[in-house]
Amino acid sequence: MTERTPQPEQKEPRDAAYWARYAETLKVSGVAEGATNINVEGRRAVGPLQGFGKMWQKTYRVRLGGVAVSPAEVIQTWKDNYKDFWPEGNVFYAPLAGITPGEVALISGSLPGGVKLSTGVMVLYADEESFTLMTPQGHPFSGWITFSSFEEDGATIAQAQVLMRANDPLYEVGLRMGGHKMEDEMWQETLRNLAAHFGAREPVETNLVCVDPKLQWRHYRNVWHNAGIRSALHMVTAPLRWRSARKRR
Amino acid sequence: MPAKYLEAEVRREAGVAVIELRGEIDAFAEEALAAAYEEAEAENPETVLLDFEGVDYINSTGIALIVGLLAKARAAKKRLVACNLSAHYVEIFNITRLSDFMGVYPDRVSALSEASTP
């Protein structure tokens, strides 16, 4: 009988299940009615280091004062009803599997000047008390948005934190000419809607920090993937596509 | 399971400031990381090495803290590199594309040897 040497147990790190798996490019599992998947499938996910513009850390938080709700309950509610907390005019097509690591959601939004935008996000990380979305190439910014909840001074806090750079020079100009303000208002309204869901009516605190004021000029070519331009071209050329589809029939 | 707060100790080896990390890198690690980075930068090294050997948990807030350090290092024209990441954390650095901007070495010896190459 041979004696077996006990093998050290190969334990997965505790955070392993919370992270998306590595994939070279994004894949959309299903396209909901009304969504457009022209700027997500096949694109790479990009973080705050890959963009062009200044790097910003924007933190929006609301205190759920007087409400008996745990951070885990806040995050579960946020994940389950993510699209309902967004302001009108923006549509979030949640992935079929929900907000779980590696899933990709499509987004229909608008840019300053009323340009319609089709884009998306990948769920980079999700645990019981936080989740993070990562943007694809061509999105107005490259970066992460982390939604979290925690207790502070006897109250539960809900927070959205964006770490971002404008993806290309056009978006950088757009952000400076009203895009930042639009984005701030969007997250402030989202947090107000979330707080209202729990019956809380407290103001949203906003903290904006420029982490790196330098522009990354070597990334100016990101404009090639600009989802705003591609969405506009897609819309303008729609009649041609209809016509050629009719001819084929 | 109780949280293991991050401990960060700064050493100097072959002209490189090495930050030895132990514990968890999450929102609670911000202060310890910032203090260690400040101490590491004090002697104006060309390279700061983050040694992840003792790290057993990183969440997305923790990765954002590392991005913050990277931005600081680049603003000060310093190299920030990493070593002793487990296979899991190498994958996280690839997913988040941190590895596009940070040298990642399998161990401290190779990181120090690379850092001392002009």
Side-chain angles (χ1 to χ4, degrees), chain A residues 13-16 19-22 44-46 49-50 55 124-125 127 132 134 144 146 163 211 216 218-219, chain B residues 1 24 56-61 63-64 67 70-71 74 88-89 91-92 94-98 100-101:
Chain A
R14 275 190 301 125
D15 55 67
W19 287 96
R21 309 299 302 193
Y22 179 76
R44 293 193 74 180
V46 284
L49 296 164
Q50 280 79 31
M55 191 194 289
L124 172 67
Y125 180 94
D127 67 19
T132 298
M134 186 174 186
W144 307 322
T146 297
L163 188 61
V211 181
Q216 302 200 118
R218 67 185 179 283
H219 292 159
Chain B
M1 188 183 286
E24 304 185 346
D56 55 9
Y57 182 90
I58 308 180
N59 69 7
S60 55
T61 306
I63 288 288
V67 171
L70 193 53
R74 295 178 78 205
H88 168 64
Y89 292 123
E91 189 183 356
I92 301 306
N94 287 333
I95 299 165
T96 55
R97 298 191 64 187
L98 261 176
D100 290 6
F101 285 82

Side-chain angles (χ1 to χ4, degrees), chain B residues 18-100:
Chain B
V18 181
I19 305 179
E20 291 178 351
L21 302 167
R22 276 182 302 279
E24 304 185 346
I25 307 185
D26 55 16
F28 300 107
E30 186 168 11
E31 215 170 289
L33 259 186
Y37 185 79
E38 201 174 311
E39 188 186 337
E41 237 195 355
E43 285 183 34
N44 202 23
E46 277 183 21
T47 304
V48 177
L49 169 63
L50 298 176
D51 188 332
F52 286 84
E53 189 167 17
V55 173
D56 55 9
Y57 182 90
I58 308 180
N59 69 7
S60 55
T61 306
I63 288 288
L65 293 178
I66 296 165
V67 171
L69 293 189
L70 193 53
K72 270 189 196 170
R74 295 178 78 205
K77 296 192 165 39
K78 297 189 190 313
R79 288 171 69 200
L80 186 72
V81 295
C83 72
N84 281 322
L85 287 156
S86 66
H88 168 64
Y89 292 123
V90 168
E91 189 183 356
I92 301 306
F93 271 47
N94 287 333
I95 299 165
T96 55
R97 298 191 64 187
L98 261 176
S99 47
D100 290 6

Side-chain angles (χ1 to χ4, degrees), chain A residues 54-85:
Chain A
K54 292 179 178 186
M55 191 194 289
W56 289 92
Q57 181 178 275
K58 301 173 159 202
T59 310
Y60 314 90
R61 49 153 58 188
V62 67
R63 199 169 173 273
L64 305 175
V67 179
V69 60
S70 70
E73 286 171 314
V74 171
I75 290 302
Q76 193 56 52
T77 303
W78 210 342
K79 284 178 183 170
D80 292 345
N81 305 282
Y82 187 88
K83 63 180 170 55
D84 301 330
F85 298 135

Side-chain angles (χ1 to χ4, degrees), chain A residues 144-183:
Chain A
W144 307 322
I145 314 155
T146 297
F147 305 90
S148 59
S149 183
F150 47 89
E151 284 175 8
E152 194 176 87
D153 301 329
T156 299
I157 308 287
Q159 176 176 290
Q161 186 172 66
V162 187
L163 188 61
M164 56 163 280
R165 284 182 193 274
N167 238 328
D168 66 42
L170 293 180
Y171 283 138
E172 177 68 6
V173 171
L175 282 171
R176 292 184 191 194
M177 294 179 72
H180 275 303
K181 188 167 174 278
M182 268 178 79
E183 203 209 2

